[in-house]
Amino acid sequence: MSPEQLPETTLTKTDFKLFLECPREFWLKRYHPEQIVTPIDAHGRYLIRQGYEVEREARALIAREFSVDALESQYTVTFENLLARFDILRMNDDGTVAIYEVKSSKHIPRLESAKSKREKREKNLYDLAFQVHVARLSGLVVSEAFLVTLDGDYVRGEDLEIEKALHFEDVTEEVTGLHRDVQLKVSEAMSVLQNGPGDGFEGLCKAKLKCAYFVFAQPELPETTIFDIPRISDKRIESLRRQGVLAVEDVPGSADLTGTQMAFVEKCKNPPPRMVDIHGISAILSELEYPLHFLDYETVNPALPKFRGMRPYEQVTFQYSVHVVESEGSEPIHYEYLSDGTGDPQSDLLKGLREAIGDAGSVISWNKSFEIKQNELLGRLFPEYAEFIDSLNARMFDLADPFRLGLYFDPAICGWSIKNVLPVLVPGMNYDDLDIGGGAAASALWYMDVFEGTEDKQERMKQLREYCSQDTLAMVKIFEVLR
């Protein structure tokens, strides 16, 4: 049954997942999808294909393990207004079934201590619990339920050993224990579909009043509200609401807020003017030594590692751009590398990078922690370059610091992303005319060109070079303004 054929009140796993995250957006997507559904971009297509690849490998492994020619893929069952479509369904000889929920994410242990990871594991369990709930209502006898994830500690050898890369976890007992809660939440979801989510501000999702539902249903809401105040408690929210306060601008000076919270309120009420700390900027720029090397990487992190020595989701560096300024006032010289997909790109990349950067002069990047982390990974993979990489990291300088630290403040700059800073400091220079406008798109397009093949690969390679080169040239221009 295709999505357009589903009854208006049909509930799928995807619907149920969205309901748990935000009942308001769940309702909005059902009745006003144009307000929330956006076209899938290159990065979105890449993520979907990563999921399909992991599912395909899991299905083949299960088929081999149980000596079956085929498994039920996307097997669908319904019960009243509930629909479940399974990633993998294994039919057993005794008439029971085993359900596999495949997640192209890393395995999270049952006793994980980090709250964010525990919450992610719980979401995965609820996904599977919904599937099992509907399966049993439809008449299937579910004997086993598995979460299939990636083993984050797996290190690839010459070949991919999928039986080591995947982690199968029997969670039958856990999802069965969620049966009653799933049943209640399904009823709540149906009630929201039939009656709407309500007009109050209770039970907000992480987006708070920036949620797409409020943008649609209450467009008159203030742009910045008391819900945007950092770390504000429900008790303080309730106190302000009793006073009729919603907009941050209306928060009284006597409000019971922390110093940090009140500073946020005052900044919203009286936005600071443009401010440039010339001496502060000069002080940090004085650390730089010529020649200056403006460096940017492009990377991609496939779910299943493609090259020897790599783990699931580790970043593969496939491209660099370097603009070198030999001395003050000299014109930048450009060096670049872009892998065509022949073998592991990172060995050739390091060879070219060492020739372009050498052992002297500062190395400038935007948000240097990323480049440093990639360099450390490259050093682990290619120990023969360890000395060069140590030198590289010791010479790194972050050109975003003047903006991140507030030494250069301009209300026209929204955040400190290079794409936001560039057009303000260098009018007329931006990313608008490039075919590739962001790093996520660049990595996705390179991956699909190299591992899946496209007819316009050569044109895409040209676009990738233009995008990466723009990043380092932008840093050169921003540096010239700061200097």
Side-chain angles (χ1 to χ4, degrees), residues 8 40 69 81 113 129-130 154 156 158 191 210 212 249 271 284 307 386 418 459 470:
E8 197 170 67
I40 299 175
D69 294 331
N81 47 11
S113 58
F130 176 86
Y154 167 70
R156 175 175 173 144
E158 288 296 334
S191 177
K210 299 294 192 298
E249 289 77 4
I284 62 173
F307 304 110
I418 193 170
E459 178 63 22
Q470 179 83 337

Side-chain angles (χ1 to χ4, degrees), residues 89-142:
L89 186 80
R90 191 187 80 230
M91 300 285 191
N92 298 320
D93 293 338
D94 61 1
T96 64
V97 300
I99 295 174
Y100 296 81
E101 180 74 12
V102 183
K103 300 294 184 184
S104 56
S105 56
K106 295 180 186 178
H107 169 64
I108 301 172
R110 185 174 302 184
L111 300 179
E112 172 61 49
S113 58
K115 181 181 177 183
S116 60
K117 291 185 178 181
R118 288 200 311 270
E119 291 174 346
K120 185 173 183 179
R121 186 176 191 279
E122 184 178 75
K123 288 179 181 179
N124 290 343
L125 288 173
Y126 269 97
D127 277 1
L128 183 50
F130 176 86
Q131 301 289 75
V132 171
H133 174 66
V134 180
R136 286 172 171 163
L137 287 175
S138 74
L140 292 178
V141 180
V142 181

